[in-house]
């Protein structure tokens, strides 16, 4: 329908569109009307005729239905589908872009399209909003499926783009559109690819499992030495290649126009992640972790003539984590954040400075020529032409393996953790007054109980240029925003009155402050590359106790309190003196008691020793008497009647009297009672049937004397002691598993 003279009029015959479900109607610059249908593709209405527009995307839009159609300022057409994302075609119907969830969109259902004044295309999706920067000099290939993995190197060869990743070697046909064919894994290349290099129109690639050669679409495993890191053509020897591997250096040679593994170069041990020949034909070798070496090699004999290894003594800060780049005629060595060249005259390293304005913090510099240099820093890639900044991108390069490949004069491929990016450093983005705008977008403030009292958003309209905060506020937060959608440059900030200097440049978009002192503050926000800053003034009111009147009252209260304290401490000092005297007296009594206890312990120990000594003396004496008795009996047996009976019996009685001497027991009993007071009394009380002999045996057992030691004391045999011990257990009523010594030790 056409609205004309306040009336809708049909401009296409009903018969031509009756079977078409129209989803879009857009007029081009040339006056053509493009009609999008749900299931029948695109049509042109020109010179009052409806014509089917045949394009490269007919199969896609027929299968996935057109939902939105927009004519772009560049003259291209953007087509939003129901289930396969976004298509962009030119006036001739050729496909320029095909973006869906696999290539970065949040969702495949496009609900709306809008092109802003900066030619950015906003895409309303079934699950969020995406921004397509059509003017950006950089194009991303995101590996959302995880098929590719981390990209380490890339090369264009045989009209294909080859990628070396941690999953293997992949390729696809080179196409001018973003909607290129999917990548295909080269069969047999599974694993980590470390380097890609074209030599003699043949593609070599270093691999975790060795070195491979791709020739005429055939893969050849030419070396099984693991870890082909870096392959170089030997100067003045075009038929010799040298490669740094995980474990050393490898030589390849070409014979009969065929490259083949020749040998492992003897004399050098250690990995070679980076190789570079200097102007004298000597080879620099950088170990991936520690080590920098200069080798002089005779390639005619394949022998190493000399090796020099460099350390801190040669002018570099450390020999750990060194990397190497070529810049003009120099070989530049990076150590930490410093760069060095080697002076062959002094044989010493000298610091090297690139002729570019260095950022405040950077990770690595990748020079490509005297006029083009890439600087890598925190999630950022900056490009310099000479000393002038040329471009700036937010990118995450592969950490410690940063790699940018020049495909041609205009195109560079940047290896990323999850794919790659193609950029044109010379292409300038369309700029305008909004492009570099950055502002304080939100302000929040919480009281000391954690309640959110201020939640201001600049775009809503409740924004203020100055905010007065009551004293209960103890935490504030500033949120930043930038309308520079393509670059996402870092911010820096300063809270005047609190921060002494500007913060470092950072990608963070929030800053919090806590417990600000009463006073006036101004928060300044600056966007990199823009001199003008955004400001917000803050007035933090004092609490009631921070006012002048409160301070006077506080001083009076403190003075009164001090006076009361003086009186209190005077009284307390007297009480404390009394307490100290009492405590001192208690301490003296305690020490006296401890001394008495110590004396008693010593006395008990002494008496225990006396008891033990006397017991041993008795045991020893009885042993001697028993021996004498036995000897007399033996003499009588041998002499017979020659030994008169009277004298024999007289000697035996004398010995027996001393063996049965009660004086020994009295001495033992006296010493035993001194050490074990009331032992006999308590034992007799618990076991009244015990005889004097039983008590005597119990005393010996309590002293932990053995059966052999007790026998002489009781003047009986060992068997007799065991019998007496058995009868004692019966009188005490002990069970079989009860130990009589444990029972006696309780008394």
């Amino acid at each position: 329908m056409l609205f004309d003279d306040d009336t809708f009029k049909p401009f296409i015959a009903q018969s031509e569109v009756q079977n078409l479900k129209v989803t879009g109607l857009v007029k081009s610059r040339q006056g053509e009307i493009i009609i999008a249908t749900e299931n029948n593709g695109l049509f042109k209405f020109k010179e009052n005729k409806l014509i089917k527009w045949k394009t490269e995307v007919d199969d896609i839009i027929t299968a996935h239905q057109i939902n939105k159609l927009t004519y772009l300022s560049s003259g291209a057409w953007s087509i939003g589908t129901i289930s396969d994302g976004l298509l962009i075609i030119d006036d001739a119907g050729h496909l320029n872009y095909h973006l869906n969830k696999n290539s970065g969109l949040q969702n495949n259902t496009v609900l709306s399209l809008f092109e802003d004044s900066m030619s950015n295309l906003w895409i309303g999706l079934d699950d969020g909003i995406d921004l397509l920067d059509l003017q950006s000099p950089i194009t991303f290939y995101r590996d959302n499926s995880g098929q590719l993995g981390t990209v380490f190197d890339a090369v264009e060869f045989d009209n294909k783009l080859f990628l070396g990743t941690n999953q293997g070697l992949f390729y696809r046909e080179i196409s001018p559109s973003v909607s290129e064919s999917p990548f295909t894994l080269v069969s047999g290349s599974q694993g980590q690819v470390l380097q890609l290099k074209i030599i003699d129109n043949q593609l070599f690639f270093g691999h975790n499992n060795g070195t491979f050669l791709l020739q005429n679409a055939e893969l050849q495993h030419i070396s099984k030495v693991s870890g082909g890191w870096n392959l170089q053509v030997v100067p003045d020897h075009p038929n010799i290649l040298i490669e740094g591997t995980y474990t050393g250096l490898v030589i390849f040679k070409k014979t009969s126009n065929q490259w083949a593994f020749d040998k492992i170069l003897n004399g050098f041990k250690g990995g070679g992640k980076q190789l570079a020949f200097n102007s004298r034909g000597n080879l620099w070798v950088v170990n991936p972790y520690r080590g920098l070496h200069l080798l002089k090699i005779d390639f005619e004999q394949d022998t190493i003539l000399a090796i020099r290894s460099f350390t801190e003594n040669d002018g570099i800060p450390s020999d750990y984590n060194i990397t190497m780049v070529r810049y003009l005629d120099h070989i530049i060595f990076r150590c930490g954040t410093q760069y060095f060249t080697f002076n062959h005259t002094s044989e010493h390293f000298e610091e090297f400075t690139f002729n570019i304005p260095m950022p405040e913090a950077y990770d690595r510099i990748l020079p490509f020529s005297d006029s083009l240099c890439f600087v890598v820093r925190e999630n950022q890639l900056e490009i310099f032409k000479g000393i002038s900044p040329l471009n700036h991108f937010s990118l995450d390069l592969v950490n410690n393996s940063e790699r940018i490949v020049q495909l041609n004069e205009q195109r560079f491929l940047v290896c990323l953790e999850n794919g790659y990016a193609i950029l044109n450093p010379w292409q300038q983005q369309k700029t305008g007054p909004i492009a570099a705008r950055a502002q304080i977008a939100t302000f929040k403030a919480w009281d000391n109980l954690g309640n959110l009292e201020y939640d201001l958003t600049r775009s809503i309209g409740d924004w203020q240029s100055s905010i007065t905060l009551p004293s209960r506020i103890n935490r504030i937060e500033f949120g930043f925003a930038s309308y520079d959608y393509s670059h996402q440059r870092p911010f820096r900030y300063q809270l005047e009155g609190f921060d002494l200097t500007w913060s470092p440049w950072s990608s963070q978009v929030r800053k919090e402050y806590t417990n600000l002192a009463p006073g006036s503050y101004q928060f300044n926000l600056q966007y990199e590359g823009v001199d003008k800053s955004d400001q917000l003034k803050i007035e933090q009111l004092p609490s009631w106790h921070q006012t002048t009147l409160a301070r006077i009252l506080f001083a009076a209260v403190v003075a009164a309190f001090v006076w009361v304290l003086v009186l209190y401490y005077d009284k307390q000092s007297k009480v404390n003196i009394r307490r100290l005297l009492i405590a001192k007296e208690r301490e003296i009594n305690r020490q006296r008691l401890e001394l008495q206890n110590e004396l008693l312990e010593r006395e008990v120990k002494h008496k225990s020793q006396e008891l033990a000594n006397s017991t041993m003396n008795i045991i020893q004496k009885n042993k001697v008497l028993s021996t004498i008795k036995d000897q007399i009996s033996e003499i009588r047996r041998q002499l017979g009647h020659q030994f008169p009976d009277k004298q024999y019996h007289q000697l035996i009685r004398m010995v027996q009297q001393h063996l049965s001497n009660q004086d020994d027991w009295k001495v033992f009993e006296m010493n035993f009672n001194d050490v074990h007071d009331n032992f006999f009394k308590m034992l007799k009380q618990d076991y009244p049937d015990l005889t004097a002999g039983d008590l005597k045996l119990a005393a010996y057992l309590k002293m932990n004397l053995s059966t052999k030691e007790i026998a002489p004391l009781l003047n009986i045999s060992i068997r007799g002691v065991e019998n007496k011990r058995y009868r004692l257990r019966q009188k005490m009523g002990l069970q079989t598993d009860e130990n009589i010594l444990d029972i006696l030790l309780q008394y």
Side-chain angles (χ1 to χ4, degrees):
M1 303 294 287
L2 179 66
F3 188 73
D4 188 23
D5 292 335
D6 296 330
T7 305
F8 283 101
K9 301 176 182 179
F11 69 95
I12 302 177
Q14 178 68 25
S15 60
E16 294 189 63
V17 296
Q18 62 181 358
N19 295 322
L20 302 177
K21 186 174 181 180
V22 178
T23 57
L25 194 68
V26 181
K27 189 174 184 179
S28 72
R29 236 184 253 134
Q30 292 78 20
E32 295 177 324
I33 296 177
I34 304 299
I35 301 171
T37 65
E38 189 175 85
N39 298 306
N40 300 94
L42 297 170
F43 293 83
K44 287 185 178 182
F45 183 73
K46 186 177 182 181
E47 298 176 355
N48 294 323
K49 292 182 180 180
L50 187 65
I51 304 170
K52 181 74 169 69
W53 185 17
K54 295 182 179 181
T55 69
E56 291 181 356
V57 298
D58 285 349
D59 292 341
I60 300 175
I61 59 181
T62 300
H64 299 282
Q65 298 184 0
I66 299 175
N67 196 35
K68 289 295 175 182
L69 177 68
T70 300
Y71 186 58
L72 303 175
S73 59
S74 63
W77 296 88
S78 62
I79 304 168
T81 70
I82 288 293
S83 57
D84 199 17
L86 178 74
L87 304 164
I88 296 181
I89 61 176
D90 60 18
D91 275 336
H94 299 304
L95 178 62
N96 289 338
Y97 299 92
H98 183 187
L99 302 174
N100 52 29
K101 189 171 183 179
N102 288 335
S103 55
L105 291 185
Q106 299 179 70
N107 185 268
N108 281 332
T109 302
V110 178
L111 302 179
S112 60
L113 296 169
F114 172 74
E115 184 182 23
D116 64 21
S117 60
M118 296 296 298
S119 299
N120 297 310
L121 182 61
W122 295 84
I123 309 168
L125 301 167
D126 191 34
D127 189 17
I129 299 174
D130 281 350
L131 172 65
L132 179 60
D133 186 358
L134 296 172
Q135 303 299 317
S136 175
I138 187 168
T139 304
F140 289 92
Y141 180 91
R142 298 291 189 188
D143 177 31
N144 296 320
S145 66
Q147 175 194 11
L148 295 182
T150 300
V151 178
F152 289 109
D153 205 352
V155 68
E156 287 185 343
F157 175 71
D158 196 22
N159 202 35
K160 297 180 181 68
L161 175 62
F162 286 87
L163 298 179
T165 79
N166 63 345
Q167 304 293 332
L169 181 66
F170 294 83
Y171 72 93
R172 72 176 178 189
E173 300 293 331
I174 296 175
S175 169
S177 72
V178 174
S179 56
E180 302 173 35
S181 58
F183 278 97
T184 301
L185 175 67
V186 175
S187 179
S189 70
Q190 291 89 338
Q192 184 164 317
V193 176
L194 304 171
Q195 184 197 31
L196 300 177
K197 194 150 189 173
I198 299 172
I199 301 173
D200 283 351
N201 199 32
Q202 299 174 66
L203 179 59
F204 292 78
F205 66 93
H207 193 277
N208 188 58
N209 295 328
T211 304
F212 294 81
L213 176 62
L214 188 66
Q215 185 179 22
N216 299 325
E218 293 184 1
L219 193 64
Q220 301 175 30
H221 197 174
I222 62 174
S223 170
K224 294 186 179 181
V225 179
S226 62
W229 257 320
N230 197 290
L231 186 66
Q232 297 286 334
V233 178
V234 177
D236 301 325
H237 295 80
N239 294 328
I240 301 177
L241 304 177
I242 186 168
E243 182 181 48
T245 70
Y246 289 166
T247 56
L249 301 175
V250 172
I251 298 293
F252 298 90
K253 290 186 178 180
K254 184 170 68 171
T255 56
S256 301
N257 208 31
Q258 292 291 325
W259 286 103
F261 172 82
D262 186 63
K263 61 170 63 72
I264 296 174
L265 192 61
N266 293 324
F268 179 80
K269 294 182 179 180
K273 186 173 185 179
Q274 290 184 286
L275 307 180
F277 284 96
N278 63 17
S279 59
R280 302 182 178 189
N282 295 326
L283 182 66
W284 287 101
V285 181
V286 174
N287 186 276
Y289 310 110
R290 181 182 185 184
L292 174 61
H293 316 278
L294 182 61
L295 279 63
K296 185 176 181 180
I297 304 173
D298 181 353
F299 287 99
E300 297 293 339
Q301 302 296 325
D302 293 337
T303 58
I304 298 176
L305 302 178
I307 299 177
R308 180 176 176 184
S309 301
F310 297 90
T311 65
E312 295 90 333
N313 297 328
D314 299 298
I316 52 176
S318 169
D319 58 349
Y320 285 93
N321 299 321
I322 295 176
T323 57
M324 183 168 51
V325 295
R326 281 194 177 274
Y327 180 60
L328 302 178
D329 296 328
H330 303 285
I331 296 177
I332 311 299
F333 302 91
R334 173 178 175 263
C335 185
T337 58
Q338 295 177 275
Y339 288 82
F340 300 87
T341 58
F342 185 70
N343 188 322
H344 288 278
T345 303
S346 63
E347 295 191 343
H348 206 75
F349 286 94
E350 298 174 349
E351 192 163 357
F352 180 85
T353 303
F354 288 92
N355 191 25
I356 57 174
M358 299 298 293
E360 292 180 4
Y362 65 93
D363 297 325
R364 193 170 181 185
I365 298 176
L366 303 173
F368 275 85
S369 67
D370 57 344
S371 61
L372 187 64
C373 197
F374 293 80
V375 176
V376 181
R377 58 173 167 146
E378 180 189 4
N379 302 326
Q380 304 290 323
L381 178 64
E382 298 185 31
I383 306 174
F384 290 86
K385 180 182 179 182
I387 63 173
S388 303
L390 185 64
N391 234 321
H392 180 285
F393 302 99
S394 295
L395 290 171
D396 288 319
L397 277 72
V398 182
N399 189 33
N400 292 326
S401 295
E402 297 87 352
R403 177 78 169 141
I404 299 175
V405 181
Q406 185 170 4
L407 302 177
N408 54 41
E409 289 295 327
Q410 303 294 328
R411 296 166 61 239
F412 290 77
L413 186 146
V414 183
C415 299
L416 304 176
E417 293 278 0
N418 60 340
Y420 65 90
I422 302 289
L423 64 86
N424 182 351
W426 314 107
Q427 178 184 338
Q428 294 299 310
Q429 182 134 351
K430 184 177 178 180
T431 58
I434 198 173
R437 239 179 83 200
Q439 65 179 18
I440 305 168
T442 62
F443 175 79
K444 295 181 181 181
W446 293 264
D447 63 18
N448 48 23
L449 297 177
N451 301 314
L452 180 64
E453 294 207 11
Y454 289 80
D455 190 0
L456 308 180
T457 303
R458 196 162 195 160
S459 59
I460 294 178
D462 57 356
W463 196 255
Q464 306 168 36
S465 60
S466 179
I467 300 175
T468 301
L469 302 175
S471 60
R472 62 181 176 275
I473 298 298
N474 75 338
R475 180 162 68 99
I476 61 175
E477 180 189 273
F478 301 92
F480 328 143
S482 161
Y483 296 95
D484 187 5
Y485 304 113
S486 302
H487 288 91
Q488 299 180 8
R489 293 185 174 94
F491 300 91
R492 69 174 182 172
Y493 51 82
Q494 180 189 28
L495 183 62
E496 292 185 16
F498 184 85
D499 295 326
L500 299 178
T501 59
W502 285 90
S503 71
W505 292 105
S506 171
S507 58
Q508 72 177 60
V509 293
R510 285 182 177 83
K511 176 58 182 176
E512 183 179 286
Y513 293 92
T514 56
N515 299 318
L516 291 178
S520 299
Y521 303 89
Q522 178 172 295
F523 186 78
N524 300 317
L525 176 68
Q526 196 171 40
Y527 192 53
E528 189 180 57
V530 181
D531 294 333
K532 187 178 179 181
S533 61
D534 196 21
Q535 296 93 24
L536 178 61
K537 293 182 178 179
I538 300 293
E539 181 72 26
Q540 177 74 60
L541 296 178
S543 302
W544 66 268
H545 59 271
Q546 295 174 315
T547 61
T548 303
L549 178 60
R551 288 172 180 157
I552 294 173
L553 291 175
F554 181 74
V557 170
V558 169
F561 181 72
V562 170
W563 175 249
V564 171
L565 283 179
V566 170
L567 295 177
Y568 173 78
Y569 279 113
D570 182 60
K571 181 179 179 180
Q572 283 297 109
S573 64
K574 295 178 180 178
V575 173
N576 289 337
I577 291 173
R578 176 61 181 165
R579 287 177 179 172
L580 288 173
L581 292 174
I582 294 173
K584 188 173 182 180
E585 184 176 353
R586 288 177 179 173
E587 178 63 19
I588 292 172
N589 291 334
R590 184 189 64 79
Q591 293 178 357
R592 184 184 295 116
L593 183 61
E594 287 181 354
L595 182 60
Q596 290 176 351
N597 290 336
E598 185 179 351
L599 292 174
L600 287 174
E601 288 179 2
R602 290 180 181 177
E603 185 177 354
V604 169
K605 288 181 180 179
H606 178 69
K607 289 183 177 180
S608 298
Q609 187 63 42
E610 286 185 346
L611 174 61
N613 292 339
S614 65
T615 304
M616 293 307 298
N617 288 336
I618 295 171
I619 292 171
Q620 193 63 32
K621 185 202 72 172
N622 286 352
K623 283 183 178 180
V624 172
L625 290 175
S626 296
T627 301
I628 293 173
K629 181 179 177 183
D630 293 340
Q631 289 291 328
I632 293 173
S633 298
E634 178 64 20
I635 293 170
R636 169 65 185 270
R637 186 185 65 79
Q638 293 178 358
L639 296 179
H641 295 290
Q642 295 180 12
F643 197 137
D645 290 343
K646 181 177 180 182
Q647 281 79 6
Y648 167 73
H649 290 297
Q650 185 178 0
L651 288 173
I652 291 298
R653 275 194 306 273
M654 186 183 301
V655 171
Q656 190 64 37
Q657 286 175 358
H658 283 85
L659 282 172
S660 304
N661 195 350
Q662 290 297 317
D663 292 337
D664 291 341
W665 168 250
K666 290 179 182 179
V667 171
F668 173 83
E669 184 179 20
M670 181 182 65
N671 291 331
F672 186 86
N673 285 330
D674 286 343
V675 177
H676 305 290
D677 191 26
N678 296 324
F679 172 78
F680 295 116
K681 182 179 179 181
M682 290 188 295
L683 191 63
K684 185 70 174 175
Q685 184 177 344
D686 290 345
Y687 305 101
D689 294 337
L690 298 182
T691 65
D694 295 332
L695 294 176
K696 186 182 293 187
L697 176 60
Y700 292 146
L701 290 174
K702 183 176 177 64
M703 289 185 64
N704 202 21
L705 296 178
S706 66
T707 302
K708 188 176 181 180
E709 291 172 328
I710 295 174
L713 293 173
L714 297 179
N715 194 22
I716 59 178
S717 66
I718 293 176
R719 181 67 178 172
V721 174
E722 291 176 350
N723 292 335
K724 289 180 69 66
R725 182 171 179 160
Y726 174 74
R727 287 192 295 272
L728 177 61
R729 287 179 59 86
Q730 285 186 324
K731 290 181 180 181
M732 295 177 67
L734 300 183
Q735 300 296 325
T736 306
D737 57 347
E738 286 184 291
N739 191 321
I740 190 171
L741 178 60
D742 293 339
I743 302 300
L744 295 175
L745 289 176
Q746 298 176 9
Y747 290 88

